[in-house]
Amino acid sequence: MSKTLFITGGAGFIGSHVVRLFVNKYPDYCIVNLDALTYAGNLANLEDIASKPNYKFEKVDITDFEALKELFAFYKPDGVVHLAAESHVDRSITDPFVFIRTNVLGTCNLLHCAKELWKDNYTDKRFYHVSTDEVYGALEFDGTFFTEETKYDPHSPYSASKASSDHFVRAFHDTYGLPVVVSNCSNNYGSHHFPEKLIPLAINNIKNNKPIPIYGKGENVRDWLFVEDHAAAIDIIFHKGKDGQTYNIGGNNEWRNIDLIRLLCNIMDKKLGRTEGESQQLITFVTDRAGHDLRYAIDSSKLQNELGWTPSLQFEEGLEKTVDWYLANEEWVRNVTSGEYQKYYELQYSK
Ligand code: NAD
Ligand code: TYD
């Protein structure tokens, strides 16, 4: 094996796409997936690559410093691609502390372990921190975008915890010379997305004829990127990004929530053989999220111009692919929502 890489959070939504891409594209890399299998982690996401010789799984909580130290000593990884996080804004409003533990303390544990392992020779080592555009705060409806220079202004406990972890990553670079790279990405969508987030929740509810909850008036805007395009960007940045740099990743694809949901309803009407407009009857306006950021929009020209990445899919095409995946994988949704998969894997992987 030419390299050993730790990918954290590889059993989650984006992490599973990154693990799949790296395992398939780099058969000479040993890819070790470090994941605690929280409610959001699901090894069924990786069934297609789980038996590949260059893939390994370690069930570990990144807040467990001693366990991490042992894994770094055992595998001696050359790189870390760090995605493990608590990722849902609404949960962070209910319980901010688990976000502080995992997103801040967990990231610091990984940074420290990487620094201790690599400090005598940083050549060909890299710590890649995967972050979010939410650290930049909220935009008005004024046509501006988040750039890599935009001042941090997080509003939710989730985005505050991610902002804090980004600062620690840069502090380890500036203080200890740790070779780091950071990316801040917009909202992702695609297969294997946990059905508490807007798009998979809406698909599931439309299918089951349940209300689709839209916060406030549905006027908030998000910039949506197909998850496989995010994974491709992570691959390019990991291999070609410059040390200490930050890259914004986005789809240049802004949608008001209400317009997105109407489009999704129309796609679902066709797929389910319903009359046009039927699914839209399910749209239900509910109390707004506290501190709800108005608009996110990413300027990803640095990544496009310097490293040659571009998103591959148009939104309608990606959304249709996503709907097809959810309709073909009803059992995955059932297992994830019932929590059954967690019990199963607890038994398989408990030490
Ligand atoms: P997710 O919630 O689907 O998955 C998170 C994964 O991390 C799960 O497998 C979970 O088991 C694991 N995990 C959580 N706490 C852990 C801990 N203490 N120790 C070890 N593993 C733990 O998240 P996601 O949507 O795939 O997001 C992945 C990363 O990308 C996060 O860092 C997130 O901030 C970032 N991000 C997400 C989006 C998005 O739209 N989802 C956009 C930009 C950036
Ligand atoms: P979400 O998928 O939670 O991602 P984020 O908060 O990280 O952007 O939410 C996307 C948008 O959809 C956000 O503006 C909140 C809104 N939303 C709803 O209107 N209803 C819902 O049930 C959910 C989960 C989100």
Side-chain angles (χ1 to χ4, degrees):
M1 294 285 167
S2 68
K3 259 186 207 302
T4 297
L5 298 188
F6 279 0
I7 299 183
T8 72
F13 165 47
I14 302 169
S16 62
H17 286 277
V18 175
V19 167
R20 179 174 302 101
L21 177 69
F22 275 63
V23 165
N24 286 330
K25 190 168 172 186
Y26 303 106
D28 57 327
Y29 288 8
C30 173
I31 302 297
V32 189
N33 172 12
L34 269 49
D35 200 297
L37 300 181
T38 67
Y39 79 95
N42 184 355
L43 287 177
N45 294 351
L46 292 165
E47 258 163 8
D48 54 326
I49 56 103
S51 59
K52 297 246 175 174
N54 64 333
Y55 171 74
K56 295 191 186 322
F57 171 69
E58 291 286 351
K59 184 174 187 300
V60 65
D61 188 325
I62 58 168
T63 66
D64 184 344
F65 180 59
E66 292 304 321
L68 276 187
K69 253 182 23 188
E70 278 177 28
L71 289 172
F72 272 80
F74 181 73
Y75 285 102
K76 300 191 173 40
D78 304 286
V80 177
V81 182
H82 174 37
L83 295 108
E86 288 291 336
S87 68
H88 189 41
V89 173
D90 293 327
R91 284 178 188 258
S92 82
I93 294 169
T94 314
D95 177 12
F97 292 97
V98 66
F99 285 71
I100 299 166
R101 281 194 295 277
T102 289
N103 299 359
V104 186
L105 178 63
T107 300
C108 290
N109 284 342
L110 287 163
L111 286 165
H112 181 81
C113 289
K115 171 179 79 77
E116 287 304 300
L117 179 67
W118 301 337
K119 64 184 175 194
D120 293 334
N121 185 2
Y122 282 144
T123 314
D124 292 332
K125 303 293 187 287
R126 171 149 278 180
F127 190 103
Y128 183 158
H129 180 60
V130 175
S131 192
T132 167
D133 61 354
E134 303 193 25
V135 298
Y136 297 125
L139 296 165
E140 297 294 328
F141 294 124
D142 57 3
T144 56
F145 296 89
F146 296 135
T147 73
E148 288 82 1
E149 276 71 50
T150 302
K151 185 171 81 65
Y152 273 32
D153 184 21
H155 299 141
S156 72
Y158 164 64
S159 55
S161 68
K162 290 296 290 188
S164 173
S165 65
D166 294 9
H167 289 317
F168 272 104
V169 173
R170 295 192 182 106
F172 269 67
H173 176 265
D174 296 349
T175 308
Y176 309 111
L178 190 74
V180 307
V181 69
V182 178
S183 61
N184 296 85
C185 188
S186 61
N187 286 63
N188 284 213
Y189 71 97
S191 70
H192 304 92
H193 202 181
F194 195 84
E196 65 184 353
K197 307 277 172 74
L198 180 66
I199 291 181
L201 177 93
I203 294 173
N204 200 29
N205 285 14
I206 294 168
K207 190 182 144 280
N208 295 307
N209 266 310
K210 286 200 202 150
I212 312 164
I214 302 289
Y215 299 161
K217 295 182 180 152
E219 284 171 344
N220 303 65
V221 168
R222 297 292 181 265
D223 176 357
W224 294 93
L225 179 69
F226 191 56
V227 63
E228 291 175 33
D229 283 330
H230 187 187
I234 289 173
D235 175 23
I236 292 173
I237 294 167
F238 182 77
H239 288 98
K240 295 195 195 151
K242 292 202 188 90
D243 183 41
Q245 291 289 305
T246 296
Y247 298 89
N248 279 355
I249 313 172
N252 201 14
N253 177 42
E254 290 180 53
W255 285 80
R256 289 195 315 162
N257 292 338
I258 186 65
D259 298 331
L260 185 165
I261 292 302
R262 287 192 183 124
L263 171 65
L264 189 61
C265 286
N266 294 343
I267 294 174
M268 294 286 285
D269 281 344
K270 287 198 194 107
K271 300 277 175 196
L272 298 171
R274 294 182 182 169
T275 53
E276 201 182 321
E278 202 179 324
S279 298
Q280 284 198 33
Q281 307 295 325
L282 298 167
I283 292 175
T284 308
F285 293 97
V286 298
T287 309
D288 208 353
R289 172 187 280 172
H292 196 172
D293 286 337
L294 187 61
R295 173 174 166 256
Y296 302 147
I298 277 273
D299 174 352
S300 61
S301 53
K302 176 177 172 183
L303 173 62
Q304 304 212 18
N305 297 336
E306 290 184 15
L307 304 185
W309 171 87
T310 43
S312 69
L313 276 191
Q314 291 298 313
F315 190 49
E316 283 80 351
E317 193 187 345
L319 208 50
E320 201 169 324
K321 267 179 102 157
T322 306
V323 168
D324 288 342
W325 186 86
Y326 278 91
L327 294 180
N329 288 278
E330 290 176 3
E331 200 182 327
W332 183 93
V333 177
R334 247 196 323 277
N335 287 344
V336 167
T337 40
S338 72
E340 278 305 308
Y341 75 89
Q342 282 169 333
K343 281 186 220 149
Y344 173 67
Y345 288 108
E346 274 305 320
L347 285 176
Q348 277 214 322
Y349 288 96
S350 55
K351 291 191 175 153

